[in-house]
Amino acid sequence: MKKIFSLRNFTTLCLFLSFSGAGMAQDFKEICSADLNKYCSSVTPGDGRVTSCLYAHSDRLTEGCFAATEIIGRVTEGFFDGVTMTYEACASDIQKQCAHGQAGSGKIVMCLMTNSENVSEACLDNLVKLRGVMQLNLMAPE
């Protein structure tokens, strides 16, 4: 049975493109360290539990931490909008060029890039735009 490549799987794979955001996570932890220690120190990280904890205490967060959560929200929203557009542009290319591969760890994105001579221009353009959106969002906080 042929596996259908879902938007969820593509989203996971596109996290490869946002690898430059690793420093942002560290900055966030530093900015919000007091709030994380005060409100969320007993929360086990994973599956969005820490984010949920911060959300539950959003009315008590320090100004810096609240601002950082706003920035991360904007980056995340831009990323997922970009992922949706990229998936729409690349869906047929994924099926043609990469359906044989397994999802995970950026393998589908790497497949698309490796087979770039056989991938549609629209798909490649969207992959480049998605990476650009992530870099701009990370560099231009309001």
Side-chain angles (χ1 to χ4, degrees):
M1 186 167 148
K2 192 171 187 177
K3 185 176 178 183
I4 302 297
F5 200 76
S6 70
L7 179 59
R8 179 176 176 223
N9 288 344
F10 188 71
T11 301
T12 302
L13 295 172
C14 280
L15 290 175
F16 169 82
L17 295 174
S18 65
F19 188 74
S20 61
M24 183 181 211
Q26 185 59 38
D27 291 344
F28 179 79
K29 287 179 183 178
E30 290 173 14
I31 292 168
C32 293
S33 64
D35 297 291
L36 290 166
N37 288 331
K38 185 173 184 178
Y39 302 117
C40 306
S41 62
S42 64
V43 175
T44 303
D47 297 324
R49 287 185 288 268
V50 174
T51 303
S52 296
C53 176
L54 287 175
Y55 179 77
H57 295 94
S58 61
D59 60 329
R60 293 174 275 206
L61 297 179
T62 60
E63 190 174 319
C65 184
F66 186 81
T69 62
E70 292 289 309
I71 291 167
I72 287 180
R74 191 175 69 249
V75 169
T76 303
E77 184 177 332
F79 175 74
F80 283 106
D81 288 348
V83 166
T84 300
M85 291 176 11
T86 302
Y87 177 74
E88 290 169 359
C90 296
S92 65
D93 293 305
I94 292 169
Q95 289 301 315
K96 289 176 191 171
Q97 303 298 325
C98 307
H100 62 281
Q102 291 199 3
S105 302
K107 291 175 186 167
I108 299 298
V109 173
M110 291 304 294
C111 173
L112 290 170
M113 299 309 279
T114 300
N115 294 294
S116 61
E117 68 279 354
N118 299 317
V119 173
S120 69
E121 189 173 326
C123 176
L124 291 175
D125 287 348
N126 275 278
L127 287 168
V128 170
K129 286 177 187 175
L130 181 60
R131 182 164 176 85
V133 164
M134 288 307 299
Q135 290 173 342
L136 286 174
N137 280 331
L138 291 173
M139 295 169 57
E142 290 180 354

